[in-house]
Amino acid sequence: MILRKLENIDRKLLELHHGQNELQKEIANIKASQQATCISQVQSYEKVLNSISQQNQSTPSTATVPTTPRTTAPKPKQPPFTSCKEVPYNVSGVYLIHVNNSNSSFNVFCDQENFDGGWIVVQHRFDGSVDFYRNWTEYREGFGNFENEFWLGLEKLHQITMTRVHEIIIEIKDFNGNYGYARYDEFKIGSEYEQYQLTLGKYSGNASDSMSYNKGMKFSASNRDNGNYYRHCAQDFEGAWWYGGCTLANLNGPYKNINHQKSTYWYYFKNDYRGMSFSRMMIRET
């Protein structure tokens, strides 16, 4: 009886021992499986880190990323300009120019808005505030100022037109508000030695052609008569112009609201000698 119980106890112990061994094996298997999983995860993380590291090495930082070079826009031309046509702005005003064969630069008023711009204003009258009955020297050098009425000067006109072909536009308006313009496709004056002789091209416009009569004429002023007439036209008409015998245009004459030769008339505009309330002469290289 006792032996049988002892055998049963021994069998139970063996079973427990066997069960313990199996349990230890299962625990070992679980540990091994967990360890393999951890190793696999670590290896996956390492791969990701290596990939990120390689990308960082192949892609420069923001501070060093080369950028596409910007196209540098050419700088606008700076004064002095060779003419108003070279001025890169659409704003009318005073600009410094340096023309070919000129010893110095000088200011001109550029009209950049009318007739497509690029015009040098050489004469402007609109209120009679400036006396235009002047002598030869004053017409040669110019007078008035750009803010008011002015005459640019014959010598400057010669320097501007001597090397390049220019056209001219002459604008007029009478005291009744009637406006017109005359355009000539060539304008040039000779040197002082040539008495600033006038070269004039073909007419177009709506004011009618009162200037072609003066082609080839020399300039006359109050103290110098270069006309080919028996009269001293500059004195008789109280102006200064390319008088022949005498003229159909007298835009440098007295500023008066009258119908008379002693006025700023443009004869063929209305076929009379009515004075103009406004006149402006502008030249531009072609």
Side-chain angles (χ1 to χ4, degrees):
M1 179 71 126
I2 296 172
L3 289 173
R4 203 167 25 253
K5 289 182 179 179
L6 288 173
E7 289 176 355
N8 290 333
I9 293 170
D10 188 49
R11 188 175 60 254
K12 294 286 184 182
L13 288 173
L14 288 173
E15 289 176 356
L16 288 173
H17 181 72
H18 177 73
Q20 184 180 11
N21 288 337
E22 292 296 325
L23 180 61
Q24 286 177 344
K25 288 181 181 180
E26 186 174 351
I27 291 172
N29 290 335
I30 292 172
K31 287 183 179 181
S33 176
Q34 290 178 341
Q35 185 176 9
T37 301
C38 290
I39 291 172
S40 176
Q41 289 178 345
V42 169
Q43 288 176 344
S44 297
Y45 292 151
E46 287 179 346
K47 288 181 180 180
V48 171
L49 290 174
N50 288 335
S51 177
I52 293 173
S53 177
Q54 290 175 358
Q55 287 180 353
N56 289 339
Q57 290 177 359
S58 62
T59 304
S61 65
T62 303
T64 59
V65 172
T67 58
T68 303
R70 294 181 180 179
T71 303
T72 303
K75 293 182 178 179
K77 294 180 180 179
Q78 301 296 318
F81 306 105
T82 58
S83 69
C84 289
K85 196 172 183 179
E86 191 185 39
V87 173
Y89 315 113
N90 295 324
V91 179
S92 298
V94 179
Y95 295 93
L96 185 67
I97 68 168
H98 184 97
V99 299
N100 293 339
N101 299 326
S102 176
N103 294 324
S104 61
S105 301
F106 51 86
N107 286 322
V108 297
F109 189 93
C110 297
D111 187 311
Q112 302 296 90
E113 301 164 52
N114 297 296
F115 301 98
D116 298 322
W119 297 93
I120 298 174
V121 181
V122 301
Q123 188 252 40
H124 193 195
R125 304 187 74 179
F126 54 88
D127 63 4
S129 60
V130 174
D131 183 9
F132 271 63
Y133 189 38
R134 305 284 186 121
N135 62 36
W136 179 265
T137 301
E138 291 172 296
Y139 267 94
R140 180 186 66 202
E141 300 301 322
F143 54 85
N145 64 75
F146 297 130
E147 299 299 322
N148 298 299
E149 297 185 330
F150 70 91
W151 171 261
L152 182 61
L154 291 165
E155 187 57 33
K156 293 185 180 72
L157 276 175
H158 168 63
Q159 292 293 334
I160 293 169
T161 62
M162 66 180 291
T163 58
R164 287 173 289 174
V165 178
H166 283 69
E167 59 180 325
I168 186 170
I169 279 185
I170 300 170
E171 295 181 282
I172 55 174
K173 183 168 65 175
D174 66 19
F175 283 90
N176 294 322
N178 298 307
Y179 170 84
Y181 73 93
R183 189 169 188 166
Y184 299 87
D185 62 8
E186 184 180 5
F187 174 84
K188 179 182 179 180
I189 63 171
S191 65
E192 185 174 20
Y193 176 79
E194 298 168 310
Q195 309 301 319
Y196 300 117
Q197 187 176 17
L198 175 65
T199 298
L200 198 67
K202 183 180 178 181
Y203 162 84
S204 63
N206 62 7
S208 296
D209 181 11
S210 295
M211 191 73 173
S212 292
Y213 178 84
N214 304 97
K215 287 181 180 180
M217 296 296 103
K218 299 174 181 178
F219 199 84
S220 294
S222 63
N223 62 339
R224 185 176 299 190
D225 181 19
N226 289 316
N228 56 3
Y229 203 46
Y230 70 93
R231 303 168 62 182
H232 191 317
C233 297
Q235 290 183 355
D236 287 352
F237 291 8
E238 297 182 5
W241 201 251
W242 294 271
Y243 293 114
C246 284
T247 185
L248 295 171
N250 193 42
L251 297 183
N252 289 336
Y255 187 90
K256 294 179 180 180
N257 184 10
I258 59 174
N259 195 333
H260 192 277
Q261 287 180 320
K262 290 185 179 181
S263 69
T264 54
Y265 66 83
W266 187 267
Y267 183 80
Y268 284 129
F269 182 45
K270 298 295 180 181
N271 295 315
D272 57 23
Y273 296 102
R274 69 180 63 192
M276 297 294 124
S277 67
F278 166 85
S279 68
R280 182 166 60 171
M281 302 168 61
M282 306 188 296
I283 61 173
R284 181 177 69 182
E285 61 179 305
T286 59

mmCIF file of all heavy atoms in Angstrom, residues 68-96:
data_model
loop_
_atom_site.group_PDB
_atom_site.id
_atom_site.type_symbol
_atom_site.label_atom_id
_atom_site.label_comp_id
_atom_site.label_asym_id
_atom_site.label_seq_id
_atom_site.Cartn_x
_atom_site.Cartn_y
_atom_site.Cartn_z
ATOM 1 N N THR A 68 18.570 78.898 -59.441
ATOM 2 C CA THR A 68 18.723 79.317 -60.825
ATOM 3 C C THR A 68 19.079 80.794 -60.864
ATOM 4 O O THR A 68 18.397 81.611 -60.247
ATOM 5 C CB THR A 68 17.403 79.102 -61.594
ATOM 6 O OG1 THR A 68 17.048 77.731 -61.485
ATOM 7 C CG2 THR A 68 17.564 79.509 -63.055
ATOM 8 N N PRO A 69 20.147 81.171 -61.520
ATOM 9 C CA PRO A 69 20.542 82.580 -61.542
ATOM 10 C C PRO A 69 19.420 83.448 -62.082
ATOM 11 O O PRO A 69 18.774 83.115 -63.072
ATOM 12 C CB PRO A 69 21.757 82.595 -62.489
ATOM 13 C CG PRO A 69 22.225 81.183 -62.539
ATOM 14 C CD PRO A 69 21.016 80.329 -62.320
ATOM 15 N N ARG A 70 19.157 84.569 -61.407
ATOM 16 C CA ARG A 70 18.142 85.497 -61.883
ATOM 17 C C ARG A 70 18.654 86.242 -63.101
ATOM 18 O O ARG A 70 19.814 86.629 -63.165
ATOM 19 C CB ARG A 70 17.784 86.500 -60.783
ATOM 20 C CG ARG A 70 17.106 85.863 -59.566
ATOM 21 C CD ARG A 70 16.768 86.928 -58.547
ATOM 22 N NE ARG A 70 16.119 86.340 -57.378
ATOM 23 C CZ ARG A 70 15.740 87.047 -56.321
ATOM 24 N NH1 ARG A 70 15.968 88.348 -56.288
ATOM 25 N NH2 ARG A 70 15.151 86.453 -55.300
ATOM 26 N N THR A 71 17.739 86.436 -64.040
ATOM 27 C CA THR A 71 18.104 87.220 -65.217
ATOM 28 C C THR A 71 18.188 88.683 -64.817
ATOM 29 O O THR A 71 17.205 89.275 -64.379
ATOM 30 C CB THR A 71 17.066 87.052 -66.337
ATOM 31 O OG1 THR A 71 16.962 85.664 -66.645
ATOM 32 C CG2 THR A 71 17.459 87.852 -67.565
ATOM 33 N N THR A 72 19.346 89.265 -64.915
ATOM 34 C CA THR A 72 19.537 90.659 -64.528
ATOM 35 C C THR A 72 19.036 91.565 -65.632
ATOM 36 O O THR A 72 19.550 91.544 -66.746
ATOM 37 C CB THR A 72 21.033 90.943 -64.256
ATOM 38 O OG1 THR A 72 21.481 90.035 -63.253
ATOM 39 C CG2 THR A 72 21.228 92.380 -63.799
ATOM 40 N N ALA A 73 18.016 92.358 -65.309
ATOM 41 C CA ALA A 73 17.464 93.289 -66.296
ATOM 42 C C ALA A 73 18.483 94.383 -66.571
ATOM 43 O O ALA A 73 19.162 94.855 -65.662
ATOM 44 C CB ALA A 73 16.168 93.906 -65.775
ATOM 45 N N PRO A 74 18.625 94.760 -67.842
ATOM 46 C CA PRO A 74 19.581 95.822 -68.142
ATOM 47 C C PRO A 74 19.182 97.118 -67.458
ATOM 48 O O PRO A 74 18.000 97.465 -67.385
ATOM 49 C CB PRO A 74 19.477 95.955 -69.672
ATOM 50 C CG PRO A 74 18.151 95.363 -70.024
ATOM 51 C CD PRO A 74 17.894 94.299 -69.014
ATOM 52 N N LYS A 75 20.161 97.810 -66.931
ATOM 53 C CA LYS A 75 19.875 99.074 -66.266
ATOM 54 C C LYS A 75 19.419 100.100 -67.305
ATOM 55 O O LYS A 75 19.932 100.151 -68.407
ATOM 56 C CB LYS A 75 21.131 99.594 -65.563
ATOM 57 C CG LYS A 75 21.573 98.726 -64.389
ATOM 58 C CD LYS A 75 22.794 99.311 -63.711
ATOM 59 C CE LYS A 75 23.215 98.465 -62.511
ATOM 60 N NZ LYS A 75 24.416 99.019 -61.847
ATOM 61 N N PRO A 76 18.412 100.898 -66.926
ATOM 62 C CA PRO A 76 17.962 101.924 -67.873
ATOM 63 C C PRO A 76 19.077 102.904 -68.166
ATOM 64 O O PRO A 76 19.951 103.155 -67.330
ATOM 65 C CB PRO A 76 16.800 102.599 -67.136
ATOM 66 C CG PRO A 76 17.032 102.299 -65.691
ATOM 67 C CD PRO A 76 17.688 100.946 -65.660
ATOM 68 N N LYS A 77 19.044 103.445 -69.355
ATOM 69 C CA LYS A 77 20.062 104.410 -69.737
ATOM 70 C C LYS A 77 20.012 105.613 -68.817
ATOM 71 O O LYS A 77 18.955 106.034 -68.378
ATOM 72 C CB LYS A 77 19.854 104.836 -71.191
ATOM 73 C CG LYS A 77 20.085 103.705 -72.186
ATOM 74 C CD LYS A 77 19.869 104.176 -73.609
ATOM 75 C CE LYS A 77 20.115 103.038 -74.588
ATOM 76 N NZ LYS A 77 19.882 103.465 -75.990
ATOM 77 N N GLN A 78 21.176 106.141 -68.541
ATOM 78 C CA GLN A 78 21.295 107.263 -67.628
ATOM 79 C C GLN A 78 21.696 108.519 -68.393
ATOM 80 O O GLN A 78 22.317 108.454 -69.447
ATOM 81 C CB GLN A 78 22.331 106.957 -66.547
ATOM 82 C CG GLN A 78 22.013 105.724 -65.713
ATOM 83 C CD GLN A 78 20.741 105.892 -64.908
ATOM 84 O OE1 GLN A 78 20.492 106.945 -64.328
ATOM 85 N NE2 GLN A 78 19.926 104.847 -64.870
ATOM 86 N N PRO A 79 21.324 109.686 -67.867
ATOM 87 C CA PRO A 79 21.728 110.924 -68.533
ATOM 88 C C PRO A 79 23.243 111.111 -68.450
ATOM 89 O O PRO A 79 23.874 110.563 -67.546
ATOM 90 C CB PRO A 79 20.989 112.000 -67.733
ATOM 91 C CG PRO A 79 20.714 111.380 -66.394
ATOM 92 C CD PRO A 79 20.523 109.910 -66.670
ATOM 93 N N PRO A 80 23.826 111.852 -69.406
ATOM 94 C CA PRO A 80 23.106 112.549 -70.478
ATOM 95 C C PRO A 80 22.694 111.602 -71.607
ATOM 96 O O PRO A 80 23.415 110.669 -71.939
ATOM 97 C CB PRO A 80 24.134 113.572 -70.975
ATOM 98 C CG PRO A 80 25.460 112.952 -70.680
ATOM 99 C CD PRO A 80 25.275 112.173 -69.402
ATOM 100 N N PHE A 81 21.524 111.874 -72.193
ATOM 101 C CA PHE A 81 21.025 111.115 -73.323
ATOM 102 C C PHE A 81 21.432 111.811 -74.614
ATOM 103 O O PHE A 81 21.791 112.985 -74.619
ATOM 104 C CB PHE A 81 19.498 110.997 -73.248
ATOM 105 C CG PHE A 81 19.002 110.444 -71.942
ATOM 106 C CD1 PHE A 81 18.421 111.275 -70.992
ATOM 107 C CD2 PHE A 81 19.114 109.098 -71.660
ATOM 108 C CE1 PHE A 81 17.965 110.770 -69.781
ATOM 109 C CE2 PHE A 81 18.664 108.576 -70.448
ATOM 110 C CZ PHE A 81 18.090 109.411 -69.505
ATOM 111 N N THR A 82 21.366 111.086 -75.721
ATOM 112 C CA THR A 82 21.690 111.716 -76.999
ATOM 113 C C THR A 82 20.510 112.496 -77.555
ATOM 114 O O THR A 82 20.675 113.357 -78.411
ATOM 115 C CB THR A 82 22.136 110.672 -78.036
ATOM 116 O OG1 THR A 82 21.080 109.708 -78.212
ATOM 117 C CG2 THR A 82 23.400 109.956 -77.573
ATOM 118 N N SER A 83 19.298 112.181 -77.057
ATOM 119 C CA SER A 83 18.091 112.873 -77.509
ATOM 120 C C SER A 83 16.948 112.495 -76.583
ATOM 121 O O SER A 83 17.072 111.588 -75.755
ATOM 122 C CB SER A 83 17.742 112.486 -78.943
ATOM 123 O OG SER A 83 17.299 111.130 -78.992
ATOM 124 N N CYS A 84 15.820 113.162 -76.740
ATOM 125 C CA CYS A 84 14.637 112.802 -75.956
ATOM 126 C C CYS A 84 14.120 111.422 -76.349
ATOM 127 O O CYS A 84 13.489 110.737 -75.544
ATOM 128 C CB CYS A 84 13.534 113.841 -76.150
ATOM 129 S SG CYS A 84 13.876 115.441 -75.370
ATOM 130 N N LYS A 85 14.391 111.012 -77.560
ATOM 131 C CA LYS A 85 13.929 109.701 -78.016
ATOM 132 C C LYS A 85 14.617 108.581 -77.261
ATOM 133 O O LYS A 85 14.098 107.472 -77.142
ATOM 134 C CB LYS A 85 14.177 109.570 -79.518
ATOM 135 C CG LYS A 85 13.411 108.449 -80.192
ATOM 136 C CD LYS A 85 13.565 108.512 -81.698
ATOM 137 C CE LYS A 85 12.750 107.436 -82.398
ATOM 138 N NZ LYS A 85 12.899 107.518 -83.875
ATOM 139 N N GLU A 86 15.791 108.839 -76.713
ATOM 140 C CA GLU A 86 16.539 107.837 -75.965
ATOM 141 C C GLU A 86 16.122 107.785 -74.496
ATOM 142 O O GLU A 86 16.436 106.827 -73.793
ATOM 143 C CB GLU A 86 18.043 108.127 -76.061
ATOM 144 C CG GLU A 86 18.921 106.996 -75.549
ATOM 145 C CD GLU A 86 20.392 107.361 -75.537
ATOM 146 O OE1 GLU A 86 20.714 108.512 -75.200
ATOM 147 O OE2 GLU A 86 21.213 106.492 -75.861
ATOM 148 N N VAL A 87 15.400 108.780 -74.022
ATOM 149 C CA VAL A 87 14.969 108.812 -72.619
ATOM 150 C C VAL A 87 14.026 107.630 -72.355
ATOM 151 O O VAL A 87 13.030 107.470 -73.064
ATOM 152 C CB VAL A 87 14.264 110.146 -72.296
ATOM 153 C CG1 VAL A 87 13.670 110.109 -70.889
ATOM 154 C CG2 VAL A 87 15.238 111.310 -72.432
ATOM 155 N N PRO A 88 14.311 106.788 -71.357
ATOM 156 C CA PRO A 88 13.516 105.568 -71.149
ATOM 157 C C PRO A 88 12.272 105.765 -70.291
ATOM 158 O O PRO A 88 11.725 104.810 -69.759
ATOM 159 C CB PRO A 88 14.516 104.650 -70.430
ATOM 160 C CG PRO A 88 15.363 105.576 -69.641
ATOM 161 C CD PRO A 88 15.485 106.839 -70.457
ATOM 162 N N TYR A 89 11.824 106.988 -70.143
ATOM 163 C CA TYR A 89 10.663 107.263 -69.298
ATOM 164 C C TYR A 89 9.549 107.902 -70.123
ATOM 165 O O TYR A 89 9.805 108.649 -71.058
ATOM 166 C CB TYR A 89 11.038 108.194 -68.144
ATOM 167 C CG TYR A 89 12.329 107.810 -67.460
ATOM 168 C CD1 TYR A 89 13.455 108.630 -67.553
ATOM 169 C CD2 TYR A 89 12.435 106.624 -66.741
ATOM 170 C CE1 TYR A 89 14.653 108.275 -66.938
ATOM 171 C CE2 TYR A 89 13.625 106.262 -66.121
ATOM 172 C CZ TYR A 89 14.728 107.095 -66.226
ATOM 173 O OH TYR A 89 15.894 106.729 -65.622
ATOM 174 N N ASN A 90 8.310 107.631 -69.723
ATOM 175 C CA ASN A 90 7.152 108.215 -70.408
ATOM 176 C C ASN A 90 6.659 109.462 -69.698
ATOM 177 O O ASN A 90 5.473 109.768 -69.707
ATOM 178 C CB ASN A 90 6.020 107.183 -70.500
ATOM 179 C CG ASN A 90 6.396 106.002 -71.361
ATOM 180 O OD1 ASN A 90 7.090 106.150 -72.353
ATOM 181 N ND2 ASN A 90 5.941 104.824 -70.973
ATOM 182 N N VAL A 91 7.563 110.159 -69.078
ATOM 183 C CA VAL A 91 7.230 111.355 -68.308
ATOM 184 C C VAL A 91 7.877 112.564 -68.962
ATOM 185 O O VAL A 91 9.102 112.610 -69.141
ATOM 186 C CB VAL A 91 7.711 111.222 -66.848
ATOM 187 C CG1 VAL A 91 7.380 112.479 -66.064
ATOM 188 C CG2 VAL A 91 7.100 109.999 -66.183
ATOM 189 N N SER A 92 7.066 113.549 -69.324
ATOM 190 C CA SER A 92 7.605 114.769 -69.908
ATOM 191 C C SER A 92 8.323 115.578 -68.839
ATOM 192 O O SER A 92 7.904 115.614 -67.680
ATOM 193 C CB SER A 92 6.474 115.606 -70.520
ATOM 194 O OG SER A 92 5.825 114.910 -71.559
ATOM 195 N N GLY A 93 9.400 116.224 -69.220
ATOM 196 C CA GLY A 93 10.151 117.030 -68.264
ATOM 197 C C GLY A 93 11.513 117.398 -68.803
ATOM 198 O O GLY A 93 11.829 117.180 -69.975
ATOM 199 N N VAL A 94 12.335 117.949 -67.935
ATOM 200 C CA VAL A 94 13.662 118.417 -68.316
ATOM 201 C C VAL A 94 14.664 117.275 -68.171
ATOM 202 O O VAL A 94 14.745 116.637 -67.113
ATOM 203 C CB VAL A 94 14.080 119.620 -67.447
ATOM 204 C CG1 VAL A 94 15.490 120.094 -67.825
ATOM 205 C CG2 VAL A 94 13.083 120.769 -67.589
ATOM 206 N N TYR A 95 15.433 117.018 -69.236
ATOM 207 C CA TYR A 95 16.457 115.974 -69.232
ATOM 208 C C TYR A 95 17.759 116.519 -69.816
ATOM 209 O O TYR A 95 17.744 117.413 -70.664
ATOM 210 C CB TYR A 95 16.002 114.761 -70.048
ATOM 211 C CG TYR A 95 14.804 114.047 -69.486
ATOM 212 C CD1 TYR A 95 13.516 114.359 -69.908
ATOM 213 C CD2 TYR A 95 14.955 113.061 -68.513
ATOM 214 C CE1 TYR A 95 12.410 113.705 -69.387
ATOM 215 C CE2 TYR A 95 13.853 112.392 -67.989
ATOM 216 C CZ TYR A 95 12.584 112.724 -68.432
ATOM 217 O OH TYR A 95 11.491 112.072 -67.910
ATOM 218 N N LEU A 96 18.852 115.954 -69.347
ATOM 219 C CA LEU A 96 20.169 116.350 -69.826
ATOM 220 C C LEU A 96 20.530 115.535 -71.064
ATOM 221 O O LEU A 96 20.429 114.306 -71.050
ATOM 222 C CB LEU A 96 21.213 116.116 -68.727
ATOM 223 C CG LEU A 96 22.644 116.585 -69.012
ATOM 224 C CD1 LEU A 96 22.699 118.110 -69.096
ATOM 225 C CD2 LEU A 96 23.587 116.078 -67.916
#
